[in-house]
Amino acid sequence: MSGVSLFVLLLNPTLNEDGTIQFILERFGPSGMITALLVGVFVALVMNLCNKFSFFKKGSSLPEFIMDWFDFLVPIALILTTGWVLVYPLHFALYWEGVSLSCCLN
């Protein structure tokens, strides 16, 4: 779910005046597939690195599902914060728009 959330965040949707969210549909095409691939690799790397770390000791009295829940909050927050920083403050886009290769094929 964090991969899908990061992908939608990187689509850089715009909020209209009437409160609706608008996506540029071209970003779901081939450039969106490349973005989804990169997002998947990034999410897998972060989750794998954070899986080796735990906030709790082995013999903790908390139930296992609560310890797992807290341990997964950190990488998910890191993933979504990284995406937010890239898109909004840094205005980073993974999409190459407005370039046509048809002029080079003649």
Side-chain angles (χ1 to χ4, degrees):
M1 238 12 210
S2 58
V4 174
S5 301
L6 181 61
F7 176 68
V8 170
L9 184 66
L10 290 176
L11 289 176
N12 198 7
T14 57
L15 189 62
N16 295 333
E17 287 136 16
D18 60 350
T20 58
I21 298 174
Q22 181 179 3
F23 291 97
I24 299 172
L25 294 180
E26 287 83 20
R27 293 183 177 173
F28 286 102
S31 62
M33 285 188 248
I34 293 170
T35 303
L37 180 69
L38 293 174
V39 164
V41 169
F42 175 71
V43 169
L45 285 173
V46 170
M47 294 297 262
N48 191 20
L49 289 173
C50 291
N51 191 27
K52 300 172 185 173
F53 175 75
S54 179
F55 289 110
F56 305 99
K57 295 180 182 178
K58 270 283 203 209
S60 180
S61 62
L62 289 172
E64 185 78 23
F65 73 94
I66 293 177
M67 291 189 295
D68 290 341
W69 185 69
F70 275 104
D71 287 340
F72 280 115
L73 280 177
V74 172
I76 291 171
L78 180 69
I79 289 166
L80 294 179
T81 303
T82 302
W84 180 82
V85 167
L86 284 174
V87 171
Y88 293 105
L90 297 179
H91 302 289
F92 182 77
L94 290 174
Y95 303 97
W96 194 24
E97 297 174 358
V99 177
S100 174
L101 295 178
S102 63
C103 64
C104 305
L105 298 176
N106 292 340

